[in-house]
Amino acid sequence: MTTTDFNAPDTLSRRGAWVAIAAMFGLNGALFGLWASRIPALKATHELSHAGLGALLLLLAGGAICAFPLAGRLADHYGAARVTKVFALVKISALLALAIAPDVPTLAVALFVFGAIHGGMDVTMNAWGAEVERWAKRPQMSSYHAMWSLGAGLAAGTGFAAISLGASPFVHFALIGLPLAVLLCWLGNVPWASPVNRDAKAPMFSIPKGQLVLVGLLAFGASMGEGAIADWSAVYLVDVGGAPENWAVMGYAIFSITMVVMRLLGDWITRLTSPEIAARASGLSAACGAAVTVLFPTPPMMLAGFVLMGVGYALIFPLAFSRAANDPVESPGKALAGTATFGYGGMLLGPPLIGFVANATSLRVSFGVLAVLALMIAVLSGALKRD
């Protein structure tokens, strides 16, 4: 059975459709933010070294990368909207499983599953968002990603209260994650019928081609930094900056809130300048931010560096996805799939890479790598130019 057009009921308004997608992005970000805020606690509970934590985060990345093609096939067969809602319900269970893992092997399995569900939901909710964007006939992708950052930042910020009150990761995840999942799944439960193509056979691995390779590298550089901040900012503040654990969680929270503000302004900034100019300025801002965290390792300066990195990374993902969807050579689906592989691969491979570099050298050196990747964004920004 094949249907090529999405079906939006007459009763569904543009606002209602936007809220549904925003809720899914917000939930995905919030559950990830909850996990990120308690990484130091889980690291201490299981007595993990930097390399050990990096290896576990690599399993999270592996789960997501394995899920990309499967999620694409599920979206083709059953519709992106329906599959996104299922992933949203399952992800909260996977998060709770992380908190109750009794030993490192069990934690490893739980991280692989959590990464798979996280990566799969990333693919399907972006596909659903692209459908709504085309239906609404107005750019909305940047605002969707803003909701992801808002959810991640607010959820990570709850780690401050949870740690201060002595709440365990399980209690923290249950008290915050379960009500959020119920509320946001309710908001996302709109009668949207995504197109299905049960004859489609998506490739098991998709990479960009031609000019899209450079677009993919832009997404890779930004997502490497975003993933590293999500999983290592708290550890960096504690181990290098000497910050108290309850204040360390504010690093990712401040970074995420900065991302929200920039993404809400993203469409206006791009119209005022151009995609390539916005990307060039973004890369330079992220490079400066990473340099500040390396050269001035005190908590206030580190937080200032995270703000600059948030400013720098915020627009790159939406710009790359928009450029891929409008590629003059590749079809939108194929172009987006390849760009997503580079982009989400960078977000998920970044944290374990930081762990391995830190174990071989130091955490400060590993954050210096982020500065180099940010400069790459500035250099390759011309790939976003459209004819």
Side-chain angles (χ1 to χ4, degrees):
M1 182 182 73
T2 301
T3 64
T4 57
D5 297 318
F6 40 78
N7 181 16
D10 295 336
T11 56
L12 182 63
S13 65
R14 285 188 174 90
R15 179 182 178 84
W18 182 90
V19 168
I21 307 298
M24 294 296 96
F25 272 77
L27 178 60
N28 187 273
L31 297 182
F32 188 80
L34 287 173
W35 144 252
S37 72
R38 302 311 298 266
I39 288 176
L42 293 173
K43 178 175 180 286
T45 297
H46 295 283
E47 299 179 347
L48 298 171
S49 65
H50 290 329
L53 178 59
L56 287 176
L57 294 176
L58 187 60
L59 283 173
L60 187 148
I65 292 173
C66 290
F68 288 158
L70 177 59
R73 291 192 179 195
L74 289 173
D76 280 341
H77 283 222
Y78 302 105
R82 180 184 299 178
V83 178
T84 299
K85 296 172 188 177
V86 173
F87 277 136
L89 292 171
V90 175
K91 190 174 181 182
I92 180 62
S93 300
L95 178 67
L96 294 174
L98 293 176
I100 61 175
D103 50 42
V104 173
T106 307
L107 179 63
V109 173
L111 272 174
F112 183 87
V113 173
F114 182 76
I117 297 170
H118 176 75
M121 187 174 175
D122 265 329
V123 170
T124 59
M125 71 185 185
N126 272 286
W128 185 12
E131 294 168 11
V132 172
E133 187 178 48
R134 291 196 299 273
W135 170 71
K137 295 182 173 62
R138 62 183 65 177
Q140 296 180 341
M141 192 64 76
S142 183
S143 65
Y144 298 152
H145 285 264
M147 294 303 102
W148 193 98
S149 297
L150 179 62
L154 291 178
T158 65
F160 176 86
I163 294 169
S164 299
L165 294 172
S168 67
F170 179 80
V171 171
H172 179 201
F173 294 167
L175 289 180
I176 302 299
L178 286 172
L180 271 179
V182 171
L183 172 63
L184 295 178
C185 284
W186 174 69
L187 290 174
N189 190 29
V190 296
W192 181 277
S194 295
V196 298
N197 182 4
R198 294 182 178 173
D199 298 324
K201 294 184 178 180
M204 292 305 296
F205 188 73
S206 181
I207 58 173
K209 298 178 181 179
Q211 185 78 355
L212 287 176
V213 172
L214 302 182
V215 178
L217 287 174
L218 282 168
F220 180 82
S223 60
M224 279 277 289
E226 189 174 345
I229 296 299
D231 286 355
W232 284 99
S233 59
V235 176
Y236 192 69
L237 279 163
V238 171
D239 290 0
V240 178
E245 186 184 346
N246 61 344
W247 278 101
V249 301
M250 299 306 294
Y252 184 54
I254 289 173
F255 172 82
S256 297
I257 297 303
T258 303
M259 296 271 286
V260 172
V261 174
M262 287 300 297
R263 283 175 169 171
L264 289 175
L265 297 172
D267 294 330
W268 176 79
I269 291 173
T270 303
R271 287 196 301 268
L272 186 65
T273 57
S274 67
E276 59 269 27
I277 292 176
R280 187 174 302 118
S282 295
L284 293 175
S285 176
C288 289
V292 166
T293 67
V294 172
L295 299 175
F296 306 99
T298 63
M301 294 302 294
M302 287 177 169
L303 293 178
F306 293 154
V307 169
L308 287 174
M309 294 172 80
V311 170
Y313 293 138
L315 302 186
I316 302 302
F317 234 51
L319 287 174
F321 271 53
S322 179
R323 168 63 179 81
N326 291 279
D327 188 72
V329 178
E330 297 285 0
S331 67
K334 189 175 181 180
L336 283 169
T339 303
T341 299
F342 268 41
Y344 289 116
M347 182 177 293
L348 296 162
L349 289 173
L353 177 62
I354 291 295
F356 294 138
V357 173
N359 195 64
T361 55
S362 69
L363 272 174
R364 292 177 70 182
V365 171
S366 64
F367 269 64
V369 173
L370 300 182
V372 175
L373 290 173
L375 289 175
M376 179 190 72
I377 294 172
V379 172
L380 298 180
S381 58
L384 296 175
K385 186 176 181 180
R386 301 178 188 174
D387 295 335

